[in-house]
Amino acid sequence: MAESSEPPSSPRESARQSVTLQDIAAHAGVSRSTVSLVLRESPLVADSTRTRVQASIKALGYVYNRGAAALRASHTFTLGVVVYDIANPFFGAMVAGIDSVLHRENYVSFLANSEDSPGRQQRFLERMREQRVDGLLLCPAEGTDPALLTQLMDWNMPCVQVLRHIGTPPFDYAGTDFELGVRQAVDHLVALGHRRIVFLGGEAEHSATRARHQGYHDAMHAQGLGEVLGIVRGPVTRRAGFEGIQTLMQETPRPTAVICHNDLMALGAMLGLQRLGLIPGEDCAIIGTDDIEEAALSLPPLTSVATHPFSIGEEAARLAMRRIANPGGAREQVILTPRLQVRHSCDPIPAHGEALYRRYPHATLDA
Amino acid sequence: MAESSEPPSSPRESARQSVTLQDIAAHAGVSRSTVSLVLRESPLVADSTRTRVQASIKALGYVYNRGAAALRASHTFTLGVVVYDIANPFFGAMVAGIDSVLHRENYVSFLANSEDSPGRQQRFLERMREQRVDGLLLCPAEGTDPALLTQLMDWNMPCVQVLRHIGTPPFDYAGTDFELGVRQAVDHLVALGHRRIVFLGGEAEHSATRARHQGYHDAMHAQGLGEVLGIVRGPVTRRAGFEGIQTLMQETPRPTAVICHNDLMALGAMLGLQRLGLIPGEDCAIIGTDDIEEAALSLPPLTSVATHPFSIGEEAARLAMRRIANPGGAREQVILTPRLQVRHSCDPIPAHGEALYRRYPHATLDA
DNA sequence: TCTCATATTTGGATCAATCCAAAACGAGGC
DNA sequence: GCCTCGTTTTGGATTGATCCAAATATGAGA
């Protein structure tokens, strides 16, 4: 129906169907099998043969058919990647890290954005199974049933969890030490003289949140501030930061410092302070998590726990490569060390005159 | 070698190789062909048969093999997507838009980050051909040879260009009206009383830059400001904005307003002003392009030409679906209309006392 | 020159689906 | 009871590579 009589515009020799191994073999005077070996860069074939075959491949304009190869071979050189919010620049950087490693390894990846919906995630994973991908990189959607891991094992599908994890060890995982990160933030604030330190964000539904809350709890206790204030649970969006801090600032006594679940929240929180006519750093210190690029550009520049998304992506991809090469090997957890990137959102600014921020009482998230 | 004697942990019946159409057929008492028709939701099969077959499929735990299907069928329900900077939140949003459409259409996509390298892009495209993807969504890397389009036609590979385009029409394209966007920015500034308006950024190596420059040129002439100032070409990164504006501010007479190629540059430019002790809006108005999420969060909130990346992604994906369904159809260009999102980076702030921004003379991109 | 080990090459079976032309079925009409 | 026509179903050919065991070529040493 949609089949025109002729391939519209190719004066070349794509006229016939398509060139196959068989054609190359005939042209080069060898067998199909030998051509196949050349394509796969097998050391078995003699140099002279290899050269001849390669010439034929070029001459006939051969195109390798991965689908056909995959039918028989055990690998597809293909990976599935699931993130839950690709619009978040943190994940953009992470995907860039993944891509850089896969490119070197001659792998290619399917990407899906689960939007934190376990159903959507599940559909994609099933599709990946149908595509016979060699493995998965998975940032599990919030609320994912831990049984998913068992399912993937049943499927015999290597899976590296990234950033968040579900189920119980051992599993493959690449992420950062969130507990340490929060501890660094708390210690930094305490050193600056803060005691009323709140942790803002997270619903405790997944590991990355639990780890942060645990880190906060432990660090506060270690500093002898255990019960001074606490954790405010909630979503982790800009808006949640914007609104959350405004609520916090109405409490008495006020907190003097807030550590945010991620930079998006922290940037929202700074805007929220401004909305109240307060000054980030002076009226309330703010620390974010992730150190996305934007963090350096806010006013004041945001102090943030750098979690190195690009590196996490690289490590996750490398781990997946190792697991694919050795499916039975011991599971690994690659935990990067975060680093507190100190900027100016905790500086007590020497007050002189009207606070500049108060010039923008109209600051909102939408305008 | 890496083959353990037993699939490690599946008490289920994945014990044997894998379930094929043949097995389903036997179980349901029909032929292979019928099962295939059921899988493809053909209206040919009788309801009773369909039900029976579906039951068998479920009972045996069948997994569709896309590789095998692709070998014979004309479609793979697979797409290749190439962007040049996935870490840029603009592209994150665009990819999210693409993903949302593809998900509805039961398509799945390979993603590559070309890093604006034509070589890397070419490698990926060849790989996509090997994978027999049904089509491509391509944001061409800077410096891509226009002959690429001819090559893709030779390959018989549908391709929708996004945001940038190479070659000459007709081709499929989805993007925004950059010329109009810049015109809106210029007109807005002129209405505020500005005359010394500079356009900052772009190397004129690709369509999206040329269109912006053209739009600037036309709008300035329409306003009778043709030769007042001009375009400063260069890279389009945050750093370029940061440094570019500092150079501009040392010229005499200074520009009073700067329109930036994208928001990243604009955010960098605002920081650059602060570094000089100048105030965005008051000492120099700034307008960005894209209206990424961060734009609302800067201080002052950035006025920006909204280009709706999510919608562009959706439109591009929909166009690709149409082209795949009808390869011979007339090429389409889907051009969205940008909208000037006015915030406060052009407000002449009533001066009172020391400018708050001057409190952060240490503002840099790295700290 | 013959043997034996090593280095190359090969053909047939196989992977798991789709395509297609033809066969089987079932219900009306004559 | 036979014929026709539309609806379902089917078997065989086909897609294009890899796997594997066996065949052949090559070279060194006796």
Side-chain angles (χ1 to χ4, degrees), chain A residues 2 7-12 14 18 61-68 70-71 76-78 86-87 89 91-93 95-96 99-100 103-104 106-115 120 123-124 126-132 153-154 156 238 264 267-268 271 274 279-280 282 292-294 296-301 310 325-327 341-344 347 349-360 362-367, chain B residues 2 7-12 14 18 61-68 70-71 76-78 86-87 89 91-93 95-96 99-100 103-104 106-115 120 123-124 126-132 153-154 156 238 264 267-268 271 274 279-280 282 292-294 296-301 310 325-327 341-344 347 349-360 362-367:
Chain A
S9 69
S10 53
R12 311 285 177 80
S14 66
S18 67
Y62 170 74
V63 179
Y64 189 54
N65 186 325
R66 301 251 166 201
L71 197 49
T76 56
F77 295 96
T78 275
I86 186 61
F91 286 105
V95 168
D99 192 79
S100 80
H103 181 254
R104 281 198 285 283
N106 262 304
Y107 264 73
V108 102
S109 69
F110 291 101
L111 178 76
N113 193 33
S114 72
E115 295 177 0
R120 191 159 163 177
R123 249 187 85 188
F124 179 74
E126 279 164 13
R127 174 64 183 264
M128 290 298 97
R129 182 150 89 127
E130 296 177 356
Q131 299 280 168
R132 302 288 197 268
M153 289 206 66
D154 277 5
N156 237 322
R238 287 174 206 275
L264 267 43
L267 293 168
L271 204 66
Q274 290 159 29
I279 303 183
E282 182 169 307
I292 60 179
E293 266 199 85
E294 291 70 43
L297 289 188
S298 59
L299 194 67
F310 190 92
N326 176 20
Q341 177 67 260
V342 177
R343 295 200 183 85
H344 303 287
D347 294 3
I349 307 173
H352 49 322
E354 180 76 341
L356 172 57
Y357 299 97
R358 297 198 180 104
R359 288 183 174 177
Y360 297 103
H362 42 25
T364 78
L365 272 179
D366 296 322
Chain B
S9 67
S10 54
R12 312 284 176 80
S14 66
S18 66
Y62 170 73
V63 180
Y64 189 54
N65 186 326
R66 301 250 166 202
L71 198 50
T76 56
F77 296 95
T78 275
I86 186 61
F91 286 104
V95 167
D99 192 78
S100 79
H103 181 254
R104 280 197 286 282
N106 263 304
Y107 263 73
V108 102
S109 69
F110 291 101
L111 178 77
N113 193 32
S114 71
E115 295 177 0
R120 192 159 161 178
R123 248 187 87 187
F124 180 73
E126 280 164 12
R127 174 64 183 264
M128 289 300 97
R129 182 150 88 127
E130 297 178 357
Q131 298 280 169
R132 302 288 195 270
M153 290 205 67
D154 278 6
N156 237 322
R238 287 175 206 275
L264 268 42
L267 294 168
L271 204 67
Q274 291 159 28
I279 302 181
E282 181 169 310
I292 60 178
E293 265 198 88
E294 291 72 46
L297 289 188
S298 59
L299 193 68
F310 190 92
N326 175 19
Q341 176 65 258
V342 177
R343 294 200 183 85
H344 304 287
D347 295 2
I349 307 172
H352 49 320
E354 182 74 342
L356 172 57
Y357 299 99
R358 297 201 179 101
R359 289 183 172 177
Y360 297 103
H362 40 26
T364 77
L365 272 177
D366 296 321

Side-chain angles (χ1 to χ4, degrees), chain B residues 96-354:
Chain B
I98 293 170
D99 192 78
S100 79
V101 169
L102 295 190
H103 181 254
R104 280 197 286 282
E105 301 279 346
N106 263 304
Y107 263 73
V108 102
S109 69
F110 291 101
L111 178 77
N113 193 32
S114 71
E115 295 177 0
D116 251 338
S117 148
R120 192 159 161 178
Q121 172 178 277
Q122 180 67 18
R123 248 187 87 187
F124 180 73
L125 294 178
E126 280 164 12
R127 174 64 183 264
M128 289 300 97
R129 182 150 88 127
E130 297 178 357
Q131 298 280 169
R132 302 288 195 270
V133 296
D134 292 344
L136 295 170
L137 294 178
L138 175 67
C139 304
E142 197 165 319
T144 301
D145 186 341
L148 177 60
L149 281 197
T150 321
Q151 186 184 62
L152 292 176
M153 290 205 67
D154 278 6
W155 288 3
N156 237 322
M157 175 73 80
C159 175
V160 175
Q161 298 191 72
V162 192
L163 232 62
R164 297 173 175 177
H165 53 78
I166 55 170
T168 49
F171 45 60
D172 288 308
Y173 171 74
T176 191
D177 189 339
F178 289 112
E179 291 194 34
L180 173 59
V182 179
R183 184 154 62 249
Q184 291 173 347
V186 168
D187 292 353
H188 177 69
L189 289 170
V190 170
L192 291 176
H194 291 274
R195 297 181 52 82
R196 311 193 61 79
I197 304 168
V198 168
F199 188 91
L200 184 58
E203 305 269 20
E205 283 306 324
H206 52 74
S207 61
T209 303
R210 277 196 302 273
R212 278 177 247 226
H213 290 180
Q214 187 68 46
Y216 169 77
H217 184 264
D218 294 352
M220 289 295 277
H221 274 271
Q223 294 280 4
L225 301 171
E227 306 309 328
V228 174
L229 276 172
I231 294 169
V232 177
R233 291 182 158 76
V236 296
T237 60
R238 287 175 206 275
R239 177 159 295 285
F242 182 73
E243 291 170 354
I245 201 149
Q246 296 189 55
T247 308
L248 277 173
M249 288 298 118
Q250 276 149 18
E251 291 178 2
T252 40
R254 278 181 184 168
T256 65
V258 173
I259 302 170
C260 294
H261 178 276
N262 63 21
D263 284 351
L264 268 42
M265 286 198 80
L267 294 168
M270 290 209 292
L271 204 67
L273 286 175
Q274 291 159 28
R275 177 60 169 274
L276 293 174
L278 301 176
I279 302 181
E282 181 169 310
D283 294 311
C284 181
I286 303 281
I287 295 186
T289 308
D290 285 348
D291 191 28
I292 60 178
E293 265 198 88
E294 291 72 46
L297 289 188
S298 59
L299 193 68
L302 179 66
T303 292
S304 181
V305 178
T307 51
H308 313 117
F310 190 92
S311 302
I312 292 178
E314 286 182 311
E315 289 298 342
R318 277 199 275 262
L319 175 50
M321 295 293 104
R322 290 198 292 278
R323 181 62 52 245
I324 289 167
N326 175 19
R331 309 293 124 162
E332 296 179 43
Q333 323 229 138
V334 181
I335 314 285
L336 301 192
T337 301
R339 209 181 115 270
L340 188 71
Q341 176 65 258
V342 177
R343 294 200 183 85
H344 304 287
S345 60
C346 303
D347 295 2
I349 307 172
H352 49 320
E354 182 74 342

Side-chain angles (χ1 to χ4, degrees), chain A residues 44-57:
Chain A
L44 285 177
V45 301
D47 283 346
S48 60
T49 311
R50 185 197 320 283
T51 314
R52 191 149 37 93
V53 170
Q54 279 165 342
S56 297
I57 288 175

